[in-house]
């Protein structure tokens, strides 16, 4: 028994080392944004997709590009625009006159890390092209199914919905994102460092200084360790109580599904492992819950008119539930 515990602890030390290396490489370019980076790395370990929302100019796209640089896997970037068609994302069948048959030409979605920039610029028809691939990691075209090779992760950025020229993402698609990360403005000290670095580098972003840290095989190994993180039954009950409370709360029109409960569990396991523990605590759950729930809840019209955010309601729900010890 002691030997098994020792082996697992050693494995988590390796995971911690890998995470610190990833943070160090991304930190060569990005100033601050610690929570965004931590949740992005947790999303990789939990095999989940990430939605990043923030105003223009807060390094959403740059961070996602850096993520693909520090992980040695395939990368594809898709710029969503109002005229983008589903076939521009998943690919299309093209007639080959030499063979007298149709050939499927794969679209940019056939890669490992997919950066979808400004996902809410495209209409629902194009966004719906992502439904199958995000959930099942496969694409079906003309009756033929094409599986994608792991790891497969969508990192999407969007500007706040209130801005002109955007489309609200369908609830079914939002539910497929493990986390929604809200990126805030930097602090005055962080902004000073950003501008000073920009001046020192003469406006050049030194992407070539960022090294690859993880391979696809290594990601698979780390994910296996995260899946083995211990969870007590009372903590699973804590998760389901939180999610269940969203379904009958006076401020919420549409609550979260069981997929959200599983998302909180998987996200908490990643956070625990990143912090060097082979078991999750209530604090891991409380830290992870807002990122998992904020995009899955639809507030009542009255609450929205008051200007309330989903985060405020989530915090209210967590405070109302007794934390297991």
């Amino acid at each position: 028994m002691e030997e098994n515990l020792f082996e697992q602890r050693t494995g988590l030390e390796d995971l911690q080392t890998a995470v610190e290396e990833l943070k160090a490489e991304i930190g060569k370019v990005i100033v601050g944004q610690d929570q965004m980076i931590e949740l992005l790395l947790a999303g990789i370990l939990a095999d989940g997709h990430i939605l990043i929302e923030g105003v223009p100019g807060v390094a959403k796209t740059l961070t996602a590009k850096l993520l693909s640089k520090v992980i040695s896997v395939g990368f594809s970037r898709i710029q969503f625009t109002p005229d983008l068609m589903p076939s521009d994302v998943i690919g299309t069948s093209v007639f080959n006159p030499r063979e007298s048959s149709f050939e499927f030409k794969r679209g940019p979605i056939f890669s490992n890390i997919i950066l979808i920039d400004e996902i809410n610029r495209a209409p629902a028809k194009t966004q719906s092209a992502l439904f199958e691939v995000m959930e099942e990691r496969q694409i079906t075209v003309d009756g033929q199914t094409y599986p994608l090779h792991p790891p497969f992760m969508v990192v999407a950025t969007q500007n706040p919905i209130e801005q002109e020229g955007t489309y609200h993402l369908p609830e079914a698609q939002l539910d497929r994102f493990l986390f929604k990360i809200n990126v805030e403005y930097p602090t005055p000290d962080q902004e000073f460092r950003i501008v000073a670095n920009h001046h020192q580098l003469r406006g050049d972003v030194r992407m070539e200084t960022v090294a690859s840290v993880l391979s696809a095989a290594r990601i698979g190994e780390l994910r296996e360790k995260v899946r083995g993180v211990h969870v007590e039954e009372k903590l699973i009950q804590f998760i389901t109580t939180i999610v269940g409370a969203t379904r009958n709360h006076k401020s919420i029109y549409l609550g979260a599904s069981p997929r959200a409960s599983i998302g909180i569990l998987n996200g908490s396991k990643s956070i625990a492992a990143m912090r060097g523990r082979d078991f999750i605590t209530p604090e891991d759950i409380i830290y992870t819950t807002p990122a998992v729930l904020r995009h899955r809840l639809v507030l009542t019209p009255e609450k929205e008119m008051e200007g309330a955010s989903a985060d405020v309601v989530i915090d209210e729900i967590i405070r109302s539930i007794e934390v297991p010890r």
Side-chain angles (χ1 to χ4, degrees):
M1 182 68 177
E2 287 180 7
E3 189 178 345
N4 290 337
L5 277 172
F6 178 76
E7 285 177 7
Q8 190 173 16
R9 299 281 178 176
T10 305
L12 290 180
E13 284 173 12
D14 291 347
L15 185 145
Q16 272 189 295
T17 302
V19 167
E20 290 307 316
E21 287 176 359
L22 288 168
K23 286 181 178 178
E25 292 300 322
I26 294 173
K28 290 179 179 178
V29 178
I30 299 295
V31 175
Q33 305 295 6
D34 296 333
Q35 188 185 47
M36 173 172 66
I37 293 168
E38 184 168 46
L39 288 174
L40 273 170
L41 299 181
I44 292 170
L45 294 174
D47 193 15
H49 308 294
I50 309 286
L51 178 63
I52 308 174
E53 181 175 291
V55 296
V58 289
K60 302 185 302 296
T61 302
L62 179 59
T63 306
K65 285 172 66 179
L66 283 168
L67 188 68
S68 71
K69 188 89 163 68
V70 297
I71 298 173
S72 183
V73 293
F75 172 68
S76 187
R77 177 176 177 174
I78 312 172
Q79 186 73 44
F80 268 30
T81 56
D83 61 346
L84 197 74
M85 298 296 289
S87 58
D88 297 326
V89 177
I90 63 176
T92 187
S93 294
V94 178
F95 184 71
N96 184 340
R98 194 174 289 176
E99 302 288 335
S100 297
S101 62
F102 283 92
E103 287 181 3
F104 178 61
K105 297 293 183 184
R106 301 185 175 207
I109 201 70
F110 284 88
S111 192
N112 298 113
I113 294 181
I114 315 296
L115 167 58
I116 299 180
D117 211 7
E118 298 197 85
I119 190 171
N120 59 337
R121 295 285 175 198
K125 181 179 181 180
T126 303
Q127 291 171 6
S128 65
L130 300 170
F131 282 17
E132 180 187 14
V133 70
M134 287 179 68
E135 180 64 19
E136 301 172 46
R137 269 67 170 181
Q138 65 180 33
I139 292 285
T140 303
V141 181
D142 296 333
Q144 183 74 32
T145 299
Y146 302 90
L148 277 79
H149 299 293
F152 175 75
M153 179 185 188
V154 171
V155 180
T157 71
Q158 70 173 18
N159 294 331
I161 298 297
E162 292 77 21
Q163 291 200 355
E164 227 175 289
T166 61
Y167 299 83
H168 184 71
L169 270 64
E171 277 73 22
Q173 184 182 359
L174 284 169
D175 201 36
R176 283 162 167 75
F177 285 101
L178 174 63
F179 295 144
K180 179 184 177 186
I181 305 171
N182 288 339
V183 185
E184 307 295 339
Y185 286 114
T187 64
D189 178 57
Q190 289 171 347
E191 189 157 2
F192 172 81
R193 287 162 55 202
I194 291 168
V195 177
N197 289 349
H198 181 85
H199 170 68
Q200 188 177 0
L201 297 173
R202 300 179 183 272
D204 186 24
V205 179
R206 299 286 175 83
M207 294 285 285
E208 68 275 5
T209 64
V210 178
S212 295
V213 175
L214 291 184
S215 64
R218 186 74 179 122
I219 289 173
E221 292 171 7
L222 296 180
R223 283 177 174 176
E224 205 54 49
K225 293 182 187 298
V226 168
R227 291 188 191 107
V229 169
H230 177 70
V231 185
E232 291 185 21
E233 196 171 293
K234 64 182 179 181
L235 294 181
I236 295 176
Q237 186 67 53
F238 184 45
I239 292 169
T240 55
T241 303
I242 292 171
V243 174
T246 68
R247 297 168 195 159
N248 50 29
H249 194 278
K250 62 181 181 180
S251 301
I252 299 174
Y253 175 73
L254 178 68
S257 70
R259 187 187 278 151
S261 300
I262 294 169
I264 295 172
L265 175 70
N266 291 339
S268 299
K269 283 183 176 183
S270 294
I271 292 295
M274 287 167 65
R275 293 175 180 175
R277 283 182 276 103
D278 58 359
F279 59 91
I280 72 168
T281 66
E283 286 70 31
D284 298 324
I285 294 168
I286 292 167
Y287 178 82
T288 306
T289 295
V292 176
L293 292 185
R294 63 168 61 107
H295 56 295
R296 291 180 160 96
L297 306 182
V298 178
L299 301 184
T300 60
E302 295 79 16
K303 204 68 180 174
E304 287 186 342
M305 286 177 67
E306 291 174 15
S309 68
D311 281 31
V312 171
V313 179
I314 293 164
D315 184 59
E316 187 182 309
I317 288 171
I318 292 172
R319 288 176 182 275
S320 70
I321 298 168
E322 185 179 352
V323 177
R325 295 296 175 190

